[in-house]
Amino acid sequence: MKKTIALLAALGMSVSLLAGCGSSASSSAASSEAAADSDLDYIKGNGKMVIGYTVYAPMNYTDDEGNFTGFDTELATAVCEKLGVEPEFVEINWDTKIVELDAKSIDCIWNGMTLTDEIMANAACTKAYAKNAQVVVVKDGTEYASTADLVGKTVLAEAGSAGESAIQDDENLSQADYVSKSVQTDCLMEVAAGTADAAILDLTLANAMIGEGTDYANLKIVDELNAEEYGVAFRKGSDAAEAVNAAFDELKTDGTLEALAAKYDLTLAD
């Protein structure tokens, strides 16, 4: 009888220990799952932030000395330093930027990206950090009074860009012969060459790349279509956007943001 009782007690203890182990394993798995759900932890675990960009002066570009630089390049580097990770810049196709983001080919889109309703619905976006506008660029000597002058003409914009949206939303530009290009600089090249009548692109890029003393001295801005703001996009549901917002606040307080804006002739968001 005593042996039976002892055996039952031993079995009970074994079951209890197994349950305890199971509880511990379950708790560990839950903890790992919670960590995996944090996009910020994923980025920090990799030790780097993979930043998707296109060549776009003055945001991300290579200068005359061969250095990769720009407002967004410097700002992203400063933010990564605060987050304790290294920046890794990867050139992407702007038209498939959300696909690249969701596939984790990149961690964020940081390239003078306009905070449109579409991008904010499909990604976790930071607050705005700079202001911009879409402008109409034509060859010097072109007669232009309004977008009505471009009905039936060849108009270019970068595929998937705010410029493309501006064309689609404008009553007159939507009646133009629209051709999309892979990057905004291709639009400038064609207008300068006379193979297109106008380009719709970012004011920041236009200010940096056209006019006296540039490679596109024969181009000019003739119209400003709409105001917009720039932000950074992370994967939908990502907690990294808020961490970057906190870094923005610190960089604004210490004067870094203002200094960069002055260096690259940009206007900061309110």
Short mmCIF file of all heavy atoms in Angstrom, two decimals, residues 1 4-5 12 28 42 98 113 118 129 157 167 187 191 193 206 218 221 224 241:
data_model
loop_
_atom_site.label_atom_id
_atom_site.label_comp_id
_atom_site.label_asym_id
_atom_site.label_seq_id
_atom_site.Cartn_x
_atom_site.Cartn_y
_atom_site.Cartn_z
N MET A 1 0.84 -1.20 0.00
CA MET A 1 0.00 0.00 0.00
C MET A 1 0.88 1.25 0.00
O MET A 1 0.66 2.19 -0.75
CB MET A 1 -0.93 -0.01 1.23
CG MET A 1 -1.86 1.21 1.27
SD MET A 1 -3.07 1.13 -0.07
CE MET A 1 -4.08 2.51 0.34
N THR A 4 2.42 1.76 -3.32
CA THR A 4 1.46 2.31 -4.28
C THR A 4 1.33 3.82 -4.11
O THR A 4 1.32 4.58 -5.07
CB THR A 4 0.08 1.66 -4.10
OG1 THR A 4 0.22 0.26 -4.27
CG2 THR A 4 -0.91 2.19 -5.12
N ILE A 5 1.22 4.25 -2.86
CA ILE A 5 1.11 5.68 -2.57
C ILE A 5 2.36 6.43 -3.03
O ILE A 5 2.30 7.50 -3.63
CB ILE A 5 0.86 5.91 -1.06
CG1 ILE A 5 -0.52 5.34 -0.68
CG2 ILE A 5 0.96 7.38 -0.71
CD1 ILE A 5 -0.78 5.35 0.81
N GLY A 12 2.77 11.95 -9.81
CA GLY A 12 2.19 13.28 -9.70
C GLY A 12 3.25 14.35 -9.82
O GLY A 12 3.06 15.39 -10.47
N SER A 28 8.37 31.02 -23.16
CA SER A 28 9.52 31.40 -23.97
C SER A 28 9.12 31.62 -25.42
O SER A 28 9.55 32.57 -26.08
CB SER A 28 10.60 30.31 -23.89
OG SER A 28 11.68 30.61 -24.73
N TYR A 42 13.44 43.70 -35.10
CA TYR A 42 13.94 43.00 -36.29
C TYR A 42 15.09 43.79 -36.92
O TYR A 42 16.14 43.23 -37.26
CB TYR A 42 12.80 42.80 -37.29
CG TYR A 42 13.23 42.36 -38.67
CD1 TYR A 42 13.54 41.03 -38.93
CD2 TYR A 42 13.34 43.28 -39.72
CE1 TYR A 42 13.94 40.61 -40.20
CE2 TYR A 42 13.74 42.89 -40.98
CZ TYR A 42 14.04 41.55 -41.22
OH TYR A 42 14.44 41.15 -42.47
N ILE A 98 6.33 49.55 -52.41
CA ILE A 98 5.59 48.85 -51.34
C ILE A 98 5.84 47.34 -51.41
O ILE A 98 5.94 46.66 -50.39
CB ILE A 98 4.08 49.16 -51.44
CG1 ILE A 98 3.82 50.65 -51.14
CG2 ILE A 98 3.29 48.30 -50.46
CD1 ILE A 98 4.19 51.07 -49.72
N MET A 113 9.75 61.05 -50.06
CA MET A 113 8.49 60.36 -50.33
C MET A 113 7.31 61.19 -49.84
O MET A 113 7.21 61.52 -48.66
CB MET A 113 8.48 58.99 -49.65
CG MET A 113 7.26 58.17 -49.97
SD MET A 113 6.99 56.88 -48.74
CE MET A 113 6.48 57.86 -47.33
N GLU A 118 -2.61 57.03 -50.28
CA GLU A 118 -2.31 55.64 -50.67
C GLU A 118 -1.15 55.07 -49.86
O GLU A 118 -1.23 53.96 -49.35
CB GLU A 118 -1.99 55.57 -52.16
CG GLU A 118 -1.69 54.15 -52.63
CD GLU A 118 -1.34 54.07 -54.11
OE1 GLU A 118 -1.26 55.13 -54.76
OE2 GLU A 118 -1.13 52.95 -54.60
N TYR A 129 8.50 65.57 -42.22
CA TYR A 129 9.71 66.26 -41.78
C TYR A 129 10.14 67.39 -42.73
O TYR A 129 10.97 68.22 -42.38
CB TYR A 129 10.88 65.27 -41.61
CG TYR A 129 11.27 64.54 -42.87
CD1 TYR A 129 12.16 65.08 -43.79
CD2 TYR A 129 10.76 63.27 -43.14
CE1 TYR A 129 12.53 64.41 -44.94
CE2 TYR A 129 11.13 62.58 -44.29
CZ TYR A 129 12.02 63.15 -45.18
OH TYR A 129 12.37 62.48 -46.32
N ALA A 157 6.52 61.98 -66.05
CA ALA A 157 6.66 61.95 -64.58
C ALA A 157 7.24 60.59 -64.22
O ALA A 157 7.22 59.65 -65.02
CB ALA A 157 5.31 62.15 -63.89
N ILE A 167 -0.68 64.51 -62.38
CA ILE A 167 -1.14 64.45 -63.77
C ILE A 167 -2.53 63.82 -63.85
O ILE A 167 -3.42 64.32 -64.54
CB ILE A 167 -0.14 63.65 -64.64
CG1 ILE A 167 1.16 64.43 -64.79
CG2 ILE A 167 -0.72 63.34 -66.02
CD1 ILE A 167 2.29 63.66 -65.42
N CYS A 187 13.16 62.30 -66.85
CA CYS A 187 12.17 63.28 -67.32
C CYS A 187 12.86 64.57 -67.74
O CYS A 187 12.55 65.15 -68.79
CB CYS A 187 11.16 63.57 -66.21
SG CYS A 187 10.25 62.14 -65.60
N VAL A 191 12.95 66.38 -71.60
CA VAL A 191 12.45 67.74 -71.83
C VAL A 191 13.58 68.61 -72.38
O VAL A 191 13.38 69.40 -73.32
CB VAL A 191 11.87 68.35 -70.53
CG1 VAL A 191 11.46 69.81 -70.76
CG2 VAL A 191 10.66 67.54 -70.06
N ALA A 193 16.07 67.62 -74.12
CA ALA A 193 16.39 67.17 -75.47
C ALA A 193 15.28 67.53 -76.46
O ALA A 193 15.46 67.42 -77.67
CB ALA A 193 16.62 65.66 -75.49
N ALA A 206 13.77 69.92 -58.74
CA ALA A 206 13.84 70.94 -59.78
C ALA A 206 14.76 72.09 -59.36
O ALA A 206 15.59 72.56 -60.14
CB ALA A 206 12.45 71.45 -60.11
N ASN A 218 18.77 75.07 -69.63
CA ASN A 218 17.73 75.46 -70.59
C ASN A 218 16.32 75.10 -70.12
O ASN A 218 15.36 75.23 -70.88
CB ASN A 218 18.00 74.82 -71.95
CG ASN A 218 17.92 73.29 -71.92
OD1 ASN A 218 18.13 72.68 -70.86
ND2 ASN A 218 17.62 72.68 -73.05
N ILE A 221 11.04 76.30 -64.25
CA ILE A 221 9.78 75.99 -63.57
C ILE A 221 8.76 77.04 -63.98
O ILE A 221 9.04 78.24 -63.87
CB ILE A 221 9.96 76.01 -62.04
CG1 ILE A 221 10.95 74.93 -61.60
CG2 ILE A 221 8.61 75.82 -61.34
CD1 ILE A 221 11.35 75.03 -60.13
N GLU A 224 3.41 75.79 -60.14
CA GLU A 224 3.42 74.96 -58.93
C GLU A 224 2.01 74.43 -58.75
O GLU A 224 1.06 75.20 -58.65
CB GLU A 224 3.85 75.79 -57.72
CG GLU A 224 4.03 74.97 -56.45
CD GLU A 224 4.64 75.77 -55.32
OE1 GLU A 224 5.70 76.41 -55.54
OE2 GLU A 224 4.05 75.78 -54.22
N ALA A 241 8.45 53.31 -37.09
CA ALA A 241 8.09 54.68 -37.46
C ALA A 241 8.07 55.60 -36.24
O ALA A 241 8.57 56.73 -36.30
CB ALA A 241 6.73 54.69 -38.16
#
